[in-house]
Amino acid sequence: MGPPPSNVWVVIAAYNEATVIADVVADVTAAGYRAAVVDDGSHDQTAEVAERAGAVVIRHPINLGQGAALQTGIEFALAQGADTIVTFDADGQHRAADIAGLIGALARHDADFALGSRFLGAAVNMPGTRRWLLKAASWFTRATTGLNITDSHNGLRAMTRRGASRIHLRQNRMAHASEILHQVAGSGLKYVETPVTIHYSAYSLAKGQTLFDALLIVLDLFARRLHR
């Protein structure tokens, strides 16, 4: 097991999150990590608020979707010489206190990906329908990727520089969460699931996927898989 990473970047994809992004960035920077916010064509003051809160901000002139924003952030962090890259949601659901556990899991297990799981940790105020949907999505992901995971749509994850270099997101919208896992499986690199806590709020639930959105994502990924 090597030395702990000295250059950690937390990548936050944000679209119209001006009301919460300052608290999210403050949580990350107070824990001692660099924050890179990718403002994905927001129409509000997301970029300005994030910058004042202490983040480095990279801007997309138009909205390309969370997958594209994360890819931009990952490439930026790699260009900064990052040893470890963490992806972190902008809506306030994640807690920076979980980042150390993800990074520690990479080192303890000599892994290149540490995937956060709310089902190994906690999901505060999660609606029952969301729980059912996420369980179903995880079953589908296990069946199609072979990854033995419990939470397939968790945006809180850590990866080594080597792992991050294997991620090349092409699904620009929410289907990127499944695409990342397919790329983790295809990389042949070691992964580990790590408990994290997700805090649901009225705000984050309103910003999140609907049941219909999630079903469309599953159907789209299934169709693409059949046509390979």
Side-chain angles (χ1 to χ4, degrees):
M1 188 168 67
S6 58
N7 192 356
V8 179
W9 279 88
V10 177
V11 172
I12 305 167
Y15 177 63
N16 292 340
E17 302 281 12
T19 59
V20 297
I21 194 65
D23 288 340
V24 172
V25 171
D27 188 32
V28 169
T29 57
Y33 306 108
R34 299 175 179 91
V37 171
V38 181
D39 175 38
D40 191 32
S42 297
H43 303 300
D44 64 5
Q45 300 298 304
T46 293
E48 292 81 3
V49 173
E51 201 163 44
R52 286 198 300 269
V56 175
V57 176
I58 308 103
R59 300 191 192 210
H60 284 172
I62 60 172
N63 178 246
L64 296 176
Q66 191 174 12
L70 286 176
Q71 186 63 40
T72 293
I74 289 169
E75 291 172 1
F76 170 82
L78 288 172
Q80 303 308 304
D83 298 319
T84 304
I85 298 172
V86 177
T87 63
F88 199 89
D89 284 357
D91 59 7
Q93 287 192 141
H94 295 161
R95 295 295 178 267
D98 284 327
I99 294 175
L102 291 166
I103 295 172
L106 291 175
R108 286 196 310 277
H109 297 276
D110 195 23
D112 285 292
F113 300 97
L115 309 173
S117 173
R118 77 201 84 196
F119 297 113
L120 297 179
V124 181
N125 299 323
M126 181 166 66
T129 52
R130 185 66 57 95
R131 182 179 296 273
W132 174 86
L133 176 63
L134 290 169
K135 291 279 192 180
S138 296
W139 175 88
F140 182 83
T141 300
R142 286 194 298 273
T144 56
T145 66
L147 295 180
N148 184 24
I149 59 172
T150 62
D151 192 349
S152 63
H153 279 70
N154 196 322
L156 184 51
R157 57 181 84 83
M159 57 194 90
T160 64
R161 183 177 184 84
R162 179 170 65 169
S165 298
R166 303 293 183 90
I167 300 300
H168 304 285
L169 297 175
R170 292 176 294 273
Q171 299 283 345
N172 286 348
R173 301 294 166 179
M174 292 304 295
H176 77 275
S178 296
E179 186 183 23
I180 285 179
L181 294 177
H182 280 273
Q183 293 183 6
V184 168
S187 74
L189 300 176
K190 189 173 182 180
Y191 69 94
V192 61
E193 268 200 308
T194 306
V196 299
T197 298
I198 305 297
H199 287 262
Y200 289 88
S201 65
Y203 177 86
S204 66
L205 287 169
K207 295 278 291 189
Q209 299 172 30
T210 65
L211 177 61
F212 182 68
D213 291 334
L215 288 175
L216 285 179
I217 289 169
V218 170
L219 290 173
D220 179 62
L221 289 170
F222 186 65
R224 288 173 185 271
R225 192 169 180 81
L226 285 178
H227 284 89
R228 283 181 181 174

